[in-house]
């Protein structure tokens, strides 16, 4: 079997579709290389003394893990010098990170969730890295927070790595979704899923049921219908999964379909997940794989961000199921 590496895939995307410039290819390769280092650090577990808390909080007031901090540093360092970025923003940093003056600046903005699902690290469950690439607005020399406030529909690329039983990378450059698996011996990303498509129907839902008492009426109605099974209005038995690492839950949905929900509720009034570096890139990927993504009222890729670390309600996955739930929403919900 001919092995296609990430580099070859990107070169061919440029040759055949003209969607990956040299600068964008460099950016994606640098991020993917940083993900290899993070994967390596994560896989060592307790051996390196890197499990547990860092003793600091991030901008959202969440306790940082040592590996959150390290993953952030790995991604910053890897991306600073290449000349492909105008600035970076991260879940772990309150303000955008400027490219030091000693390096040239490029045309792209990079947003990252360096280690998504990090509460799962200590219990040896899959975690991952999410990234989103935007163009720096024209004429902006020193991009501040405002430069990043672009709806997800403007992304030029998005992807995520999962550090699980195998290390995988999912990528879209706006021309479908491809999946790569890390060959550790060779040190290369190998194309293993050339065209990922999400089945339009599903009988599997993912939601944190402990929030049930806080749910809005449309969410409660939908989950009640799933739980009613074959004899209920949906006419089939549903299964439930919740990894609490969005990367792992979305990877499962890309593999076999499903619906993922972290909606706004009475406790999470704005939602729980971050718009710019969780919901937007995942929505781009899911849509490119034939699925749908909404906050219940609006397509997530059309939401105009107002703050860098803004949260949002998220419902995404198999198209028919996502459309069913959004059909239950009324303007007041
Ligand atoms: P952390 O990165 O802080 O662990 O959060 C993970 C996450 O943002 C997302 O990956 C999960 O789907 C969601 O939070 C899990 O949230 P709950 O712990 O409330 O279920």
């Amino acid at each position: 079997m001919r092995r296609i590496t990430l580099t070859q895939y990107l070169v061919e995307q440029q040759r055949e579709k003209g969607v990956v410039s040299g600068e964008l290819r460099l950016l994606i390769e640098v991020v993917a290389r940083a993900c290899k280092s993070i994967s390596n650090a994560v896989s060592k577990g307790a051996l390196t003394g890197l499990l547990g808390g860092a003793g600091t909080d991030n901008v959202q007031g969440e306790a940082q893990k040592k590996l959150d901090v390290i993953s952030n540093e790995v991604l910053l360092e890897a991306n600073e010098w290449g000349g492909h970025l105008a600035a970076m923003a991260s879940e772990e940093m309150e303000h955008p990170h400027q490219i030091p003056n000693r390096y040239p600046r490029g045309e792209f903005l990079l947003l990252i969730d360096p280690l998504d699902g990090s509460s799962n690290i200590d219990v040896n469950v899959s975690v991952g890295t999410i990234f989103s690439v935007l163009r720096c607005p024209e004429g902006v020399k020193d991009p501040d927070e405002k430069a990043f406030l672009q709806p997800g529909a403007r992304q030029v690329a998005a992807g995520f790595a999962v550090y699980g039983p195998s290390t995988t990378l999912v990528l879209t450059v706006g021309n479908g979704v491809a999946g790569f698996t890390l060959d550790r011996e060779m040190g290369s990303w190998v194309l293993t899923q050339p065209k990922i498509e999400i089945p339009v129907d599903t009988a599997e839902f993912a939601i944190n049921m402990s929030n049930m008492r806080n749910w809005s009426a449309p969410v409660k109605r939908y989950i009640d219908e799933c739980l009613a099974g074959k004899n209920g209005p949906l006419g089939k038995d549903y299964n439930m999964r919740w990894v609490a690492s969005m990367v792992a839950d979305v990877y499962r949905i890309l593999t076999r379909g499903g619906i993922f929900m972290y909606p706004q509720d009475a406790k999470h009034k704005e939602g729980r997940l971050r718009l710019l570096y969780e919901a937007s890139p995942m929505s781009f990927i899911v849509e490119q794989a034939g699925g749908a993504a909404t906050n219940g009222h609006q397509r997530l890729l059309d939401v105009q961000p107002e703050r860098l670390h803004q949260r949002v309600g998220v419902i995404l996955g198999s198209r028919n199921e996502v459309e069913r739930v959004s059909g239950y929403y009324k303007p007041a919900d």
Side-chain angles (χ1 to χ4, degrees):
M1 197 181 84
R2 184 172 154 246
R3 280 162 70 105
I4 298 175
T5 62
L6 175 64
T7 303
Q8 193 173 347
Y9 172 82
L10 293 171
V11 168
E12 282 171 7
Q13 287 291 306
Q14 175 62 11
R15 233 179 248 154
E16 288 160 26
K17 318 270 186 232
V19 288
V20 186
S21 64
E23 202 167 300
L24 181 59
R25 173 156 68 85
L26 177 63
L27 190 167
I28 293 169
E29 287 185 316
V30 169
V31 171
R33 201 174 310 135
C35 289
K36 285 187 214 169
S37 303
I38 299 171
S39 169
N40 194 44
V42 167
S43 73
K44 297 267 193 283
L47 292 176
T48 47
L50 290 180
L51 297 184
T56 47
D57 285 353
N58 67 12
V59 56
Q60 358 263 340
E62 296 159 345
Q64 288 176 306
K65 300 283 183 188
K66 288 181 197 161
L67 280 166
D68 277 324
V69 176
I70 288 169
S71 307
N72 192 52
E73 277 165 11
V74 167
L75 281 155
L76 291 189
E77 266 179 46
N79 279 286
E80 270 182 352
W81 53 269
H84 50 281
L85 284 188
M88 276 179 269
S90 163
E91 178 184 11
E92 304 303 333
M93 300 182 302
E94 186 166 2
H95 302 293
H97 177 82
Q98 300 301 331
I99 302 300
N101 285 334
R102 59 184 182 281
Y103 300 125
R105 293 201 184 162
E107 59 176 308
F108 295 110
L109 299 172
L110 176 66
L111 290 123
I112 49 173
D113 179 351
L115 205 58
D116 179 65
S118 54
S119 64
N120 275 327
I121 294 172
D122 296 349
V123 290
N124 202 18
V125 170
S126 298
V127 291
T129 297
I130 309 175
F131 68 95
S132 159
V133 184
L134 293 164
R135 249 176 242 290
C136 187
E138 233 162 88
V140 175
K141 288 261 169 308
D142 295 302
D144 58 4
E145 172 162 341
K146 237 178 30 223
F148 289 84
L149 304 183
Q150 304 182 36
R154 294 221 205 120
Q155 290 169 103
V156 292
F160 67 94
V162 186
Y163 314 122
S166 58
T167 290
T168 52
L169 179 74
V170 171
L171 175 71
T172 183
V173 289
N175 179 35
V177 180
F180 302 81
T181 304
L182 181 61
D183 181 333
R184 283 190 190 276
E185 282 73 43
M186 303 300 286
S188 56
W189 294 105
V190 179
L191 182 65
T192 42
Q193 295 109 305
K195 191 166 171 30
I196 295 178
E197 284 177 68
I198 300 177
V200 291
D201 288 303
T202 185
E204 196 161 73
F205 66 88
I207 193 164
N208 184 338
M209 297 285 286
S210 71
N211 291 318
M212 187 188 275
R213 69 187 177 287
N214 301 311
W215 290 346
S216 60
V219 174
K220 189 154 184 3
R221 172 178 170 190
Y222 174 70
I223 298 297
D224 280 348
E225 289 180 355
C226 292
L227 295 176
K230 233 189 222 126
N231 300 323
L234 305 185
K236 53 185 171 181
D237 289 338
Y238 277 70
N239 194 6
M240 194 200 88
R241 287 285 184 275
W242 184 250
V243 184
S245 283
M246 190 189 198
V247 285
D249 279 312
V250 172
Y251 193 85
R252 184 188 60 255
I253 288 170
L254 291 167
T255 307
R256 65 178 191 212
I259 181 167
F260 170 94
M261 305 171 77
Y262 214 129
Q264 289 161 277
D265 63 31
K267 180 175 165 203
H268 309 91
K269 296 235 164 58
E270 284 202 318
R272 158 86 162 84
L273 304 177
R274 276 52 61 118
L275 173 57
L276 281 165
Y277 40 82
E278 290 184 310
S280 271
M282 290 309 200
S283 300
F284 189 23
I285 291 164
V286 163
E287 282 202 6
Q288 284 290 316
T294 174
N295 62 8
H297 297 286
Q298 190 183 10
R299 178 185 178 229
L300 277 168
L301 290 181
D302 290 334
V303 173
Q304 172 62 51
E306 284 162 10
R307 296 184 316 281
L308 187 58
H309 298 287
Q310 179 174 336
R311 296 175 190 263
V312 73
V314 174
I315 299 166
L316 56 76
S318 293
R319 174 164 293 280
N320 288 344
E321 222 68 13
V322 172
E323 282 173 1
R324 175 189 300 281
V325 185
S326 40
Y328 293 171
Y329 271 79
K330 306 209 166 53
D333 289 318

